[in-house]
Amino acid sequence: MAKISQISGKRNGYFGALALVSILLGLYWGLVQAPPDAYQGEVQRIMYLHIPSILTAYLSFFLVFVGSCLYLWKREKRDDILAYSAAEIGVLFTALTIIEGSIWGKPTWGVWWTWDARLTLTAILLLIFAGYLMLRSLTEEENRGASSAAVLGIIGFLDIPLIHMSVYWWRTLHQPPSILRPDKAPWENIAWPLLTPLLLNLAAFLLLYFYLLSLRFRLGEVNEEIKALKLSRDF
Amino acid sequence: MGAWYFVFLAYGIVWSAILIYWLTLKRRLARAETELAELCASSEPQANAKT
């Protein structure tokens, strides 16, 4: 077991190093290499964090959705660990998205926060998954807690299509999507000097995400092994 | 407040939060792995005694 842990630790180390290199590259491109936006000026550089953060959070909650569905269907602990791990990291990236958006909103819109449909739905997404984490930590009966959280994870994920479509369905202050547009490819919508740092930062965030997820998943597995060992000792 | 103030504020908060989360996660994992190793080590003599 020590050998497996050593191999997995080494692989995670390489993955972490790759994530770090891509983060440094993304930072350089976003802060130094990219030109300022013609209308927003330097503040637009916050978008190199804001868009990758929310797309990473979407991916994370999609994994919560997949893990939760599989857990309710097959009752395998691995699926529950995946959902729990993804939810924890998803909450971090959603909170960061809201903070970045708020800092960008102050010089651009003149306010830190407004009850715009997209902003409000994103805040609701954060509250749902913060509730998911609280449910996991407060429920004493573990299997029941996992099942209840799986249902909440599935319901919570349904908020993401609403967030994405909110800018089309309601009159919002938030602009329409720049990357995930149904009518235009990203390179038709954003000039390459601005799209390059965005894509680099997106790649960096995704690498970082999978690195953090592998660590968090391993933590979940180790905790399960500890519980199983303690249970077998009690008997 | 200049535009760069907001840019550095956003970048500072984001990367500090991610760094803190990563350090916390590493510490939680190291603690759990130590506990598991101790449990395995202490359960091996018991298993040997039973056999």
Side-chain angles (χ1 to χ4, degrees):
Chain A
M1 198 192 66
K3 201 169 182 182
I4 293 170
S5 170
Q6 224 172 20
I7 293 167
S8 138
K10 213 172 177 180
R11 199 190 52 203
N12 271 349
Y14 290 135
F15 206 26
L18 191 63
L20 181 66
V21 169
S22 62
I23 287 164
L24 293 175
L25 202 63
L27 276 173
Y28 171 72
W29 226 276
L31 291 174
V32 182
Q33 191 71 20
D37 182 79
Y39 297 104
Q40 295 176 36
E42 308 292 356
V43 172
Q44 186 269 340
R45 293 178 198 277
I46 296 173
M47 287 300 117
Y48 301 137
L49 295 177
H50 186 64
I51 297 169
S53 299
I54 192 62
L55 292 180
T56 308
Y58 285 175
L59 171 69
S60 207
F61 295 135
F62 174 68
L63 291 181
V64 176
F65 175 77
V66 171
S68 300
C69 289
L70 286 174
Y71 178 73
L72 289 178
W73 180 29
K74 293 182 174 176
R75 298 279 163 188
E76 279 186 23
K77 204 66 207 167
R78 275 179 67 90
D79 300 324
D80 179 49
I81 296 172
L82 172 70
Y84 193 3
S85 307
E88 191 178 291
I89 306 171
V91 164
L92 171 73
F93 281 99
T94 311
L96 290 177
T97 303
I98 292 173
I99 293 168
E100 294 148 6
S102 178
I103 296 170
W104 175 86
K106 181 63 181 164
T108 315
W109 294 341
V111 286
W112 293 104
W113 179 263
T114 178
W115 295 104
D116 168 276
R118 181 171 265 196
L119 271 66
T120 308
L121 286 168
T122 310
I124 290 171
L125 182 75
L126 178 65
L127 288 176
I128 290 172
F129 282 97
Y132 175 101
L133 296 182
M134 281 174 69
L135 185 66
R136 296 306 303 251
S137 60
L138 294 177
T139 314
E140 283 180 13
E141 214 275 279
E142 207 193 315
N143 286 338
R144 228 178 84 188
S147 301
S148 311
V151 173
L152 186 60
I154 293 166
I155 294 169
F157 175 73
L158 299 179
D159 189 29
I160 291 177
L162 290 181
I163 294 173
H164 190 67
M165 296 310 290
S166 61
V167 286
Y168 295 112
W169 291 343
W170 292 287
R171 194 186 295 171
T172 60
L173 190 57
H174 198 288
Q175 64 269 41
S178 310
I179 298 276
L180 302 175
R181 276 180 80 128
D183 56 332
K184 270 184 182 175
W187 51 89
E188 289 177 276
N189 204 32
I190 308 171
W192 276 107
L194 302 182
L195 185 61
T196 308
L198 189 57
L199 294 178
L200 269 175
N201 277 286
L202 180 61
F205 268 68
L206 291 177
L207 280 169
L208 173 71
Y209 172 72
F210 283 112
Y211 169 64
L212 291 175
L213 186 67
S214 67
L215 287 182
R216 182 60 187 80
F217 187 81
R218 173 81 193 127
L219 175 65
E221 279 183 329
V222 172
N223 282 337
E224 280 307 311
E225 283 177 57
I226 290 170
K227 273 181 214 159
L229 264 175
K230 281 183 177 170
L231 206 66
S232 68
R233 273 181 159 199
D234 291 344
F235 284 108
Chain B
M1 282 183 282
W4 281 106
Y5 166 81
F6 291 102
V7 173
F8 285 121
L9 181 66
Y11 276 75
I13 289 174
V14 167
W15 291 113
S16 305
I18 290 173
L19 184 68
I20 290 167
Y21 178 71
W22 174 67
L23 290 173
T24 314
L25 193 54
K26 290 280 268 186
R27 206 175 58 188
R28 281 159 72 194
L29 183 57
R31 205 182 295 157
E33 279 179 336
T34 309
E35 191 184 346
L36 180 64
E38 281 170 4
L39 274 171
C40 287
S42 62
S43 63
E44 267 168 24
Q46 282 180 359
N48 289 341
K50 276 181 190 172
T51 52

